[in-house]
Amino acid sequence: MARFDINNIPDNEEDIDFTDIEERYQLSFEEGFDNIVVVDNIPLVDETKEEKLIQFLRKIFKNVGEIRDKHFTMPKAVNEKGKLMSKGFMFIEFETAEQATLAVKLIDGFKMDKSHTLAVNRFTDVEKYSAVEEEFHAPAEEEFIEKEHLKSWLADEMGRDQMVIYRHNEVQVLWNMQKEQPQIAHNKPHWTETYVQWSPLGSYLTTFHTQGVALWGGESWKKIIRFVHPGVKLIDYSPNERFLVTWSNEPIVVPEENNDGPFGPEDEGNQIVIWDVKSGALLRTFPSLAPQAPSGRSTVSWPVFKWSPSERYFARVTPGSQISVYEAPSMGLLNKKSIKIDGVVDFEWAPSSGADKSGKVKDDMLAYWTPEVDNQPARVTLLNIPSQDIVRTKNLFNVNDCKLHWQNQGDFLCVKVDRHTKNKKVTYSNLEIFRVREKDIPVEVVEVKESILAFAWEPKGERFAVITTSDPNFTSATPGSTTLKTSASFYYLDKGKGKDTLQSFKVIKTLTGKSCNTIFWSPKGRNVVLATLRSQTVWDLEFYDLDFEPLESAAAKVPTGGEKDPAAYLQLLSSGEHYGVTDIEWDPSGRFVATSASVWRHTMENGYQIWDFKGQMLYKENLEKFKQLVWRPRPKTLLSKDQIKNIRKNLREYSSRFDEQDMESSSLVSSAERQRRRTLLQEWADWRKRVEADLASDRAAAGQQVAAAPADDEEAEEVDEWIEEVIDEKEEIVA
């Protein structure tokens, strides 16, 4: 202990050195004070308003835990005017340390008003950070370890696409080889327990396990990161792969002791988790609002949270009451409250936000609909986020149901409306199309006299396809065991002539007498597959081209000064069938289509087939216990519009180069096939000689006469087999 001369005691108490006493009797603030938080930036009030402020703060902290009156401590001091006022901060003591942690997580950053944003910190943290040394000590530099490029597959010289196949207990990542057997890029048994899923840009392959999910990627397919969420069943990525949402039907259970997991007491009972993909950090958990099915089991409409294209917001609907929009990455409610909308059923984000000409980021937009309630009509509303300004509304009458379909560039919104007559005995459908990019967002009504089974926009285009039916067996839009009589119609946007001409959607052509129930557009547009899925009797596939140009001059079909007829360019390229087909998916290039029959649906001839966009089957493989085939997505191109235009201009030059590569590849395949046949023939000849020698030996042992073998110098007779193939045939009529 320091010794002081009694005659030399400093007049000022602050000049006395108490360091040795403080070190000897130092208290650990980590123990005993961990249930206390410090709340800064509260308004300055006098004694008359103190109780009102405390009651207001009690409402803010009500979701954290009950706080008794004596657990609010608000320090006060006399100001310059001699009035006793609060100091702008207070202490709140909770029952448990977990409640204090939850208060920091939920209330820190809460805006009381325009002038006061609360800052909430644990009392122990304040003491800990106040003891940080003034002098900075640089941390030890970690050794740099170069990681594999997550987009390495895009550098393939042949420009091939990859797909993942899951069969039995084995997962394979394959290169598409067109007509030949796919080349294995990586395979691993027991790689997943339920199914696999690609991230939206193809960077990660997600596998599912009892304790959570794992992300894999790079050239060597190493595990990149894992997320612990026991019993996870469903996942969803944000558009740019920054965030991952996982859902489990099992509520989170946090052990009281030895809790090594990512969850805390505040996560207990929740079922939805949002993660940061790069860091692996748990950002927030949410309870599931799953409605009860008639069977009594809870159901979930996935994805629960829908992401805006900018990834700045994600939202979910509470049917009948509100839409909750959250900000990312803070995970807090936008403006600290949900958007109250009576009767709201569903919503969808516009797929594109982007920026205006000045570079300013545009607001994200969402569309939602509400049903008819009492004397209020049904309504579709377009809403800007975060401003929450209503951009457009449209009232609808005699409505049974609505489905929202955005065109993938956000230029159009189609609302498929299922309606009924006034006596509610007859149902029919129509399409309400919002032209979002035009002034005042005009809405066009496209009348459809039959029930709509399927609707799909052409990607990056102004056309769409619908499948309709008037079949009396139709009860729902879900493809089932009953094969319905359907019609398929294609529509285009007729822009007319002149600036003042009204634009409208018109029918290109209606195809009747069909059985198709699903529409699959190529990701590049133009080509489309109409298919009959999950039927017990019909498995038709029809490949169409909407911009087909026949060999004869197209000008012959267009009158002088007239407009070309879109129906003249709609061509059925090919028809096919895949027995038991359950799933269809285009590859990212739009050149190939994969059809598959999964054991998850039935056990008849499971496997997959690869087709080109013209409907020619290139490869077929039946696989026992085949479950899943998914093409690997590609990120958006980095080429500018001018570069793409230049490539299209010189397409013949590039085409000839790729044709040479295809011929060389075909030649290599042919050489390999010839060598395989020679090997098989040689193996057969060797086997025959061996059998003849054994037979001769057996006959000699039995005393039978053995035919003399031909001398070595005798020439064996060689037989050449000529195969003729007609390459081209031309017929001329001679007068």
Side-chain angles (χ1 to χ4, degrees):
M1 182 180 293
R3 296 182 178 179
F4 300 99
D5 185 349
I6 195 171
N7 297 318
N8 197 24
I9 297 178
D11 296 332
N12 193 345
E13 206 176 84
E14 295 179 356
D15 295 334
I16 303 176
D17 184 8
F18 293 103
T19 55
D20 55 344
I21 299 176
E22 290 174 351
E23 290 175 0
R24 184 173 180 180
Y25 298 101
Q26 179 69 40
L27 294 176
S28 174
F29 287 98
E30 297 295 332
E31 299 178 2
F33 299 97
D34 52 358
N35 62 330
I36 300 175
V37 297
V38 183
V39 184
D40 284 304
N41 300 331
I42 62 175
L44 301 178
V45 296
D46 55 19
E47 292 181 338
T48 60
K49 297 182 180 179
E50 179 180 351
E51 183 61 28
K52 185 177 181 180
L53 176 61
I54 290 177
Q55 293 301 324
F56 184 76
L57 291 171
R58 188 185 297 278
K59 291 180 181 179
I60 296 175
F61 285 88
K62 68 178 181 180
N63 293 329
V64 177
E66 187 64 29
I67 308 170
R68 293 194 290 266
D69 293 336
K70 295 183 179 179
H71 290 187
F72 279 95
T73 304
M74 189 181 302
K76 304 179 189 65
V78 178
N79 61 11
E80 298 175 352
K81 297 180 180 180
K83 192 174 182 179
L84 188 63
M85 300 286 291
S86 64
K87 289 188 172 184
F89 67 92
M90 69 183 307
F91 301 96
I92 300 178
E93 183 178 352
F94 292 94
E95 294 293 332
T96 64
E98 289 76 14
Q99 290 178 341
T101 303
L102 185 60
V104 174
K105 188 174 183 179
L106 298 181
I107 312 301
D108 185 40
F110 181 86
K111 292 183 179 180
M112 290 185 63
D113 52 42
K114 294 182 179 180
S115 305
H116 299 89
T117 300
L118 300 183
V120 184
N121 295 280
R122 292 167 62 113
F123 179 76
T124 52
D125 290 342
V126 175
E127 292 295 328
K128 179 173 66 176
Y129 295 127
S130 64
V132 174
E133 296 182 11
E134 294 293 333
E135 184 179 354
F136 172 73
H137 298 283
E141 185 175 347
E142 296 182 5
E143 181 182 357
F144 173 73
I145 301 176
E146 187 174 357
K147 296 182 179 180
E148 295 180 352
H149 203 299
L150 297 178
K151 302 287 193 302
S152 58
W153 93 97
L154 297 175
D156 179 55
E157 293 182 356
M158 298 173 63
R160 298 172 296 178
D161 279 298
Q162 287 187 343
M163 55 186 168
V164 63
I165 287 179
Y166 180 30
R167 56 163 298 199
H168 195 37
N169 293 320
E170 184 178 17
V171 177
Q172 294 180 328
V173 179
L174 306 173
W175 290 104
N176 178 27
M177 299 299 292
Q178 300 185 26
K179 295 183 180 181
E180 303 303 319
Q181 183 175 6
Q183 179 183 337
I184 297 177
H186 189 75
N187 72 308
K188 188 175 182 179
H190 304 285
W191 203 357
T192 187
E193 296 179 18
T194 52
Y195 65 101
V196 293
Q197 183 173 328
W198 292 107
S199 59
L201 305 181
S203 303
Y204 310 103
L205 178 65
T206 312
T207 58
F208 292 73
H209 310 275
T210 304
Q211 293 302 317
V213 296
L215 274 55
W216 310 75
E219 257 184 287
S220 60
W221 291 99
K222 294 180 180 178
K223 184 192 295 182
I224 297 173
I225 197 169
R226 70 186 185 97
F227 299 96
V228 178
H229 189 182
V232 61
K233 296 294 187 297
L234 299 169
I235 67 168
D236 181 51
Y237 285 89
S238 61
N240 297 320
E241 303 178 341
R242 183 180 177 186
F243 305 103
L244 174 66
V245 185
T246 59
W247 174 84
S248 172
N249 61 329
E250 304 171 8
I252 295 171
V253 177
V254 181
E256 295 182 1
E257 298 180 358
N258 301 323
N259 180 18
D260 298 328
F263 304 113
E266 66 276 9
D267 304 314
E268 186 88 28
N270 291 342
Q271 295 173 270
I272 303 170
V273 186
I274 301 184
W275 311 84
D276 185 293
V277 172
K278 293 290 178 67
S279 67
L282 186 156
L283 300 178
R284 186 171 176 182
T285 63
F286 293 88
S288 182
L289 303 178
Q292 293 292 322
S295 61
R297 299 179 61 182
S298 60
T299 60
V300 60
S301 176
W302 194 254
V304 172
F305 288 103
K306 298 175 183 179
W307 292 88
S308 69
S310 66
E311 286 190 341
R312 291 180 293 168
Y313 310 101
F314 60 100
R316 75 169 170 185
V317 62
T318 303
S321 60
Q322 63 188 23
I323 295 176
S324 302
V325 181
Y326 298 85
E327 297 180 278
S330 66
M331 300 290 121
L333 262 176
L334 178 65
N335 297 329
K336 302 298 180 182
K337 59 183 179 181
S338 298
I339 305 172
K340 302 295 183 181
I341 306 169
D342 291 337
V344 62
V345 177
D346 196 12
F347 77 97
E348 293 290 344
W349 290 99
S352 176
S353 54
D356 57 22
K357 295 180 180 179
S358 65
K360 183 180 178 181
V361 178
K362 296 180 182 178
D363 282 356
D364 288 298
M365 179 187 292
L366 61 80
Y368 67 85
W369 78 277
T370 55
E372 294 177 277
V373 179
D374 297 330
N375 294 324
Q376 296 294 326
R379 181 174 297 172
V380 175
T381 304
L382 302 185
L383 187 72
N384 274 341
I385 297 296
S387 64
Q388 299 185 24
D389 294 334
I390 294 177
V391 182
R392 184 72 159 86
T393 61
K394 178 68 187 297
N395 292 336
L396 306 172
F397 300 91
N398 302 328
V399 174
N400 285 339
D401 191 23
C402 288
K403 296 294 181 185
L404 307 173
H405 300 275
W406 281 98
Q407 187 246 14
N408 72 326
Q409 292 180 315
D411 297 336
F412 305 98
L413 168 66
C414 176
V415 183
K416 182 180 78 71
V417 185
D418 295 329
R419 284 191 158 101
H420 57 78
T421 55
K422 291 185 178 180
N423 58 15
K424 299 186 178 180
K425 292 183 178 181
V426 179
T427 59
Y428 62 99
S429 302
N430 67 0
L431 305 173
E432 307 271 345
I433 301 179
F434 294 69
R435 298 206 285 271
V436 180
R437 304 296 184 193
E438 298 181 25
K439 185 179 180 181
D440 298 329
I441 310 183
V443 181
E444 179 183 349
V445 180
V446 178
E447 297 291 346
V448 181
K449 296 181 180 180
E450 300 179 329
S451 298
I452 296 178
L453 222 64
F455 174 95
W457 284 102
E458 176 188 21
K460 304 176 183 178
E462 298 175 339
R463 296 179 291 203
F464 62 85
V466 293
I467 295 177
T468 61
T469 183
S470 58
D471 195 312
N473 294 321
F474 172 70
T475 56
S476 68
T478 303
S481 58
T482 303
T483 303
L484 302 174
K485 295 179 181 179
T486 61
S487 300
S489 299
F490 296 94
Y491 290 77
Y492 76 106
L493 181 61
D494 183 10
K495 298 183 179 180
K497 297 180 181 179
K499 296 182 180 180
D500 299 330
T501 305
L502 293 176
Q503 300 181 5
S504 62
F505 284 92
K506 295 183 178 180
V507 177
I508 299 175
K509 192 174 184 179
T510 297
L511 310 171
T512 59
K514 301 294 180 181
S515 62
C516 55
N517 53 26
T518 47
I519 306 165
F520 297 93
W521 282 98
S522 162
K524 302 299 182 182
R526 176 174 174 171
N527 296 97
V528 65
V529 176
L530 302 181
T532 307
L533 283 190
R534 299 169 189 172
S535 169
Q536 295 181 357
T537 55
V538 181
W539 308 277
D540 292 339
L541 305 171
E542 294 184 338
F543 296 78
Y544 287 90
D545 184 350
L546 272 70
D547 294 323
F548 181 79
E549 294 187 8
L551 295 177
E552 60 269 20
S553 174
K557 297 185 179 182
V558 182
T560 304
E563 295 291 333
K564 71 176 185 179
D565 179 13
Y569 294 84
L570 173 61
Q571 179 70 34
L572 173 64
L573 301 178
S574 178
S575 297
E577 181 181 87
H578 182 172
Y579 179 78
V581 61
T582 59
D583 301 281
I584 298 177
E585 186 174 1
W586 284 86
D587 83 322
S589 72
R591 295 182 297 161
F592 304 101
V593 182
T595 60
S596 57
S598 173
V599 73
W600 288 333
R601 294 285 180 180
H602 59 75
T603 57
M604 303 179 295
E605 295 189 20
N606 301 126
Y608 68 95
Q609 298 178 12
I610 304 295
W611 312 69
D612 67 7
F613 67 93
K614 302 185 298 295
Q616 179 184 359
M617 190 176 69
L618 304 177
Y619 183 76
K620 176 181 179 180
E621 186 172 9
N622 291 334
L623 296 172
E624 186 180 357
K625 296 184 179 180
F626 171 87
K627 300 176 181 177
Q628 188 181 15
L629 182 151
V630 190
W631 290 102
R632 187 173 192 175
R634 283 178 174 260
K636 293 181 180 179
T637 179
L638 300 178
L639 299 176
S640 65
K641 291 183 179 180
D642 292 337
Q643 290 174 319
I644 295 174
K645 186 177 181 180
N646 184 54
I647 291 173
R648 287 178 176 169
K649 183 179 180 181
N650 302 303
L651 192 58
R652 290 188 177 181
E653 178 186 342
Y654 295 107
S655 297
S656 60
R657 188 190 310 170
F658 288 122
D659 288 341
E660 290 177 5
Q661 292 181 359
D662 290 341
M663 291 181 63
E664 183 180 350
S665 175
S666 177
S667 176
L668 291 174
V669 171
S670 300
S671 299
E673 181 63 19
R674 287 196 297 270
Q675 183 61 39
R676 186 183 71 86
R677 291 177 180 177
R678 290 195 191 100
T679 303
L680 291 174
L681 183 60
Q682 186 61 43
E683 290 177 355
W684 179 83
D686 293 343
W687 173 84
R688 181 176 178 179
K689 287 182 179 180
R690 187 170 61 253
V691 170
E692 288 177 346
D694 293 342
L695 181 60
S697 177
D698 293 342
R699 285 179 175 176
Q704 298 178 3
Q705 185 177 359
V706 180
D712 294 340
D713 56 352
E714 292 184 13
E715 292 186 1
E717 182 182 1
E718 291 187 1
V719 178
D720 292 337
E721 182 181 358
W722 293 78
I723 300 175
E724 294 185 359
E725 181 179 351
V726 178
I727 297 177
D728 191 14
E729 185 174 340
K730 186 176 182 181
E731 183 178 337
E732 292 185 6
I733 300 176
V734 180

